[in-house]
Each structure stands twice: as C-alpha cells, then as structure tokens.
Amino acid sequence: MDERTALRALAVDLPGAGDDAAVVGAQVVTTDMLHESTDFPAGTTRYTAGWRAVGASLSDVAAMGAAATAAVAAYGAPALDEDELRAFVGGARDVCESVGAEYVGGDLDTHDEFTVATTALGDVSDDGAVLRSGASSGEVVCVTGALGRSAAGLRAFEAGDVERGNDLFRFPPRVASGVAVAPHATAMMDSSDGLARSLHQLAEASDCGFDVSWDSLPVHDAVADYAGGDGDEREMAAYFGEDFELVFTVPESDLSAVRASAPVPVTVVGEVTAEGIVADGEPVPDEGYTHASNG
Amino acid sequence: MDERTALRALAVDLPGAGDDAAVVGAQVVTTDMLHESTDFPAGTTRYTAGWRAVGASLSDVAAMGAAATAAVAAYGAPALDEDELRAFVGGARDVCESVGAEYVGGDLDTHDEFTVATTALGDVSDDGAVLRSGASSGEVVCVTGALGRSAAGLRAFEAGDVERGNDLFRFPPRVASGVAVAPHATAMMDSSDGLARSLHQLAEASDCGFDVSWDSLPVHDAVADYAGGDGDEREMAAYFGEDFELVFTVPESDLSAVRASAPVPVTVVGEVTAEGIVADGEPVPDEGYTHASNG
C-alpha cells in the first residue's frame, strides 16, 4: 500500500484528514516526518535540514490561508552532535522568524537514521481556513512564485554543487502570500506533491477539472541551469514536486486584489473547468512525488 | 553527547525549552519521537503504540496543568499496512478521547524502522502553565496514581505475557489531574524519566532539594507480579521511568483541596527542602531513563 492509498484508507477513520493541515477551532495544525534517505540528499547541511523540515510544515499552514504562529521539531540522529544540533535549530528558528512564527523547541531521539518530525501551528483568518474543496468552474487557477526550485536543488546536489543545492533547498514558505490570498481563494494547497498532482487533488476535493497551459507556468530561474531540455523543464516544474508554492483558485474578478496584496508574483496557469485535467488539450497524468502531507 | 547534555546545549539557543511542553501564548505544545528498538517491545500492538505514543505527548500537556485539546502523529514504517495503520489511529484516537482531546491526523512516511512522532496541544488555565521551577522549601511533593506501571509492562512483554504488557503500556494520561492540581501546584512535571530523575530535574529548575521516604511511594499493583524483591520494586517504581504520573509540589495547606479535586489518588512522598535529594537519609542518585521529553 503506498502512502496515498494508506491516506485514503485513513480518511474513513479521520474525516477531518485530507487537507494540508487539520483545523482545530480557530487554529490549524500539521505534522510531517522527513528522513535522510528520501528527503535530505548528501551535502544537505543540518541548518538547511532544519529550515526545510520546519518550512515544509509552515508551508502546510500557509496552504490553509492561516498565519503561522509556532513550530516544534523532533530530531532523531545516530549521534547527537552539538554543532549539528545547533545548526539544525538555527535553521528551524530562522525559517520560523522569516514568516513571523516562533520556534519553540522539540524532542531529541537517538535514531539509526537522521529523521525529523516537524509540527506547525497557525491561526485561521476570520474568513475561515481555505480548504481544497471550494473551487468552481469558471474560476482561474494560480500559483505563487516559481516552480521547480527543489528539482533544481536536487540536481545541484547531484552535480556536486552543494552550496547551490543548500541554497535552493531553503525555500521561502509562502505564509504571507497564503494570508493575503485567503480572503479571495476558493481552494488552496501547496505544491509539495508537484503541480500536476496538486491539480488532481484539488479536482478530486472540489469535484471540478482544470485546463492549464504549460507555457504559462512560472519556472524557477535555476531550472534552466540543470534541465536537459524543454521536456525536462516541464518534468522539473510540473511533476517533480517537493516545491512549496501555493496552488489556488479564485474568481477572475478577484485577481487584481490578490495581486495587490500578495507579496510575491501570482501567475494564472489556467482555469477551473467542470471535469478533466488537461494542459494544452492533453490529459495531465496524476504523477508526481507520492508522499503524504496532510494534517 | 547524550540526550540530556544535548538538551543543555540547546537551552542556550532555546530559552523557552526545559519544561515538559513549550508555552505559546495561552497554549502549550509538545512533541515526542518514539521508535521501535527503544520504545515498543516485541509484542506491542499498533493500537497500543498509537495509544502510548500520543499518550506520552498528552502527559506532557498534563504536566503543564493544561487541558489537552488536540494531537497529531507522524507515522513511519517499512510497509504501510492498512490494518496496522488503522489500529494505530484507533489507539491514538481513543487515548485522545479518554482525556477530552481530538486526534486530528498526521503524516505517513515509509521508514526503515517503525517510528512515531506525536505532538499534542493544550489550553493553559487562567492561572498560567505550571513550570518545573516554582517549588519552595517547606512544601510537600506528591505523585498521582501509582509508579512502576511501565516497568511492569516491560517485564510482562519479556515474560511473553503480551496481553498484560499491552494493557500496562496503555497508561491513562493524567490530564484531568493536571488541570485539577494546576491552581495549587507550584512546580510539576511527569515521571517519564523516573521519579528519581524527576526530583533531580525539579530541584535543578526550582533551586531546591527533596527529602522523600521510599515507603511512602505508591507502587503499581503489577510491580509485585514481576519484581525480584524489595530492591527491585524500588528500581521499577522510582528509577525505571517511562511512567506517566505527575510529580508536583504544593503547600501542605492545599493538600485537601488538591485531593478533593483530583480524580485519582494523590500521595505525598516527601517534602521540599533547601538542597540535596535524599530518601530515608541517603542521597538519591540522578539515575533513570535518559531520554528527552521537553517542549
């Protein structure tokens, strides 16, 4: 059973599951477990790991349109080296500070493999949390920032460009954008499973379709440095995932307000349709990074 | 560097660390990572693992005198078996329900070793969170319930009595007791590192000492079934740890009010002194289960 199938099975037991974070009263809470063999390529510093692991949970808070307030992390490693630990905490604290949240500590565990579990909390806006389920036909679908950053980062690590890899892996969680977009967005999630899979998940939750244009995708500058060609650029920007941009739907009439309030560029990549997920007239396969990031 | 030394090093970076949970506004938040080789003996069911892992975090909330509100868990295992996963969620949900909290989901991760990271949230009472640092000479030191339950559970597993082991491992988190005791307690933590180590930690945080009597210790009924003699009973009840009772200090004049409001027996095990930690006139070594459970 892969993680998606397992999550579907769990949805029977946990009706609240299925969004990027769980809503508890006026708060959201989300947790993520990352570990060395799948999430931190050789060369990833502990500072980057702390930033990225906590950032992934902050991104889930952002995807609910909530203001991140606090995060904790449980840190497991074969040896509890003080320098590594302090570097990790430094990254965790700095990514929290970058979004106005507080890093308040965690747990330590001696563990065969470097493993991190992070949890972030956020305050829901007065308009309520933005779920995956509210998109309607005729709206536009947008993304914040640029896609492909993590794919490029992984290629950088693979090419031995460790400094660039670390830099690209320390992504900015889109908390301020999520809060800015929340009053307008009808559905939202982050792109951690890749844009293609995000569209499938939004479509499933909202019972809608999407018609997007590949050429409209905002692609991160670093992608061109590592891509093998156009097809590869698309793979990196639309399918690879592990990116932490926001994918959301809004009525077209709200676009100017969204762009005026969001602190990063917002790009329209397509529109919401009644059914089917197509790009330039061709079906978009439900492929990408299969992991689980719901609250 | 062991976990305690690492935690001390971290305290420089995280001044808020060092209690069972971190205080964030009017809430507390705490996280714990547990894994198979150290925390779940052979025979532990996934239901028990879910109960115990989430229960450990709820216990940290209780130790702050806060009312537990919600918990999440990140679940990592080599294979995501549906029955195991649902059993785990069942245990997590039931332990939350037992203390009036909501289990709101989590994350899944394919991981070489069965690993669980849990996070619990709680609302602080109007009197504020109960820290480890408020004990004063002349007060009494108390424990809830009975000590040695987990030590007996481990022995049960070792003896092949898997049903008893599972039963003993599903401890009741003392959330209601923590809330009842909070208006009176001057310092509090849970006994997850063992009573002896708890006394040392309370003494360090409060700058005080303790004078306890071994005979006064409330010992769990199951201890006698597995102990090899009096010395072994003390080892199981006072040093082994992994128990989740509350250890707290109160002015003696508050004792009757504490006992009237707490839903479980409260036993006075000694008094707060100016310095030194002694039992029956002998120094109590700072020994027990060395792990980390601070927020």
Side-chain angles (χ1 to χ4, degrees), chain A residues 43-120:
Chain A
T44 308
T45 64
R46 286 294 155 97
Y47 179 84
T48 296
W51 178 292
R52 188 169 178 84
V54 172
S57 289
L58 295 170
S59 177
D60 284 331
V61 168
M64 307 299 286
T69 52
V72 293
Y75 176 104
L80 298 176
D81 176 84
E82 182 175 340
D83 289 341
E84 288 183 351
L85 195 51
R86 293 183 71 162
F88 177 88
V89 168
R93 207 169 36 178
D94 287 351
V95 73
C96 282
E97 197 176 298
S98 78
V99 300
E102 195 182 355
Y103 181 66
V104 295
D107 188 33
L108 299 174
D109 184 36
T110 308
H111 203 291
D112 283 347
E113 186 182 1
F114 176 50
T115 301
V116 183
T118 56
T119 302

Side-chain angles (χ1 to χ4, degrees), chain A residues 7-213:
Chain A
L7 283 173
R8 288 219 176 94
L10 275 186
V12 177
D13 298 317
L14 291 172
D19 260 286
D20 291 58
V23 181
V24 185
Q27 282 195 310
V28 295
V29 54
T30 176
T31 195
D32 296 275
M33 188 185 287
L34 303 179
H35 59 107
E36 189 145 34
S37 63
T38 58
D39 299 295
F40 304 118
T44 308
T45 64
R46 286 294 155 97
Y47 179 84
T48 296
W51 178 292
R52 188 169 178 84
V54 172
S57 289
L58 295 170
S59 177
D60 284 331
V61 168
M64 307 299 286
T69 52
V72 293
Y75 176 104
L80 298 176
D81 176 84
E82 182 175 340
D83 289 341
E84 288 183 351
L85 195 51
R86 293 183 71 162
F88 177 88
V89 168
R93 207 169 36 178
D94 287 351
V95 73
C96 282
E97 197 176 298
S98 78
V99 300
E102 195 182 355
Y103 181 66
V104 295
D107 188 33
L108 299 174
D109 184 36
T110 308
H111 203 291
D112 283 347
E113 186 182 1
F114 176 50
T115 301
V116 183
T118 56
T119 302
L121 308 180
D123 288 339
V124 172
S125 82
D126 292 341
D127 300 317
V130 184
L131 308 181
R132 297 180 181 177
S133 54
S136 299
S137 188
E139 294 171 346
V140 292
V141 56
C142 307
V143 300
T144 57
L147 301 167
R149 178 179 181 129
S150 287
L154 184 64
R155 299 270 178 100
F157 279 118
E158 288 168 353
D161 191 350
V162 165
E163 192 176 334
R164 186 107 194 262
N166 277 287
D167 185 56
L168 289 167
F169 259 40
R170 293 192 303 271
F171 65 91
R174 299 301 189 196
V175 175
S177 296
V179 169
V181 162
H184 309 281
T186 53
M188 183 152 64
M189 65 182 295
D190 75 9
S191 65
S192 59
D193 292 337
L195 176 66
R197 182 147 280 166
S198 298
L199 293 174
H200 278 271
Q201 292 180 61
L202 288 170
E204 187 179 339
S206 292
D207 191 20
C208 68
F210 290 102
D211 186 351
V212 302
S213 152

Side-chain angles (χ1 to χ4, degrees), chain A residues 1 13 80 93 106-107 292 294, chain B residues 1 13 80 93 106-107 292 294:
Chain A
M1 189 165 65
D13 298 317
L80 298 176
R93 207 169 36 178
D107 188 33
N294 73 316
Chain B
M1 190 166 62
D13 298 316
L80 298 176
R93 206 169 37 180
D107 188 34
N294 73 316

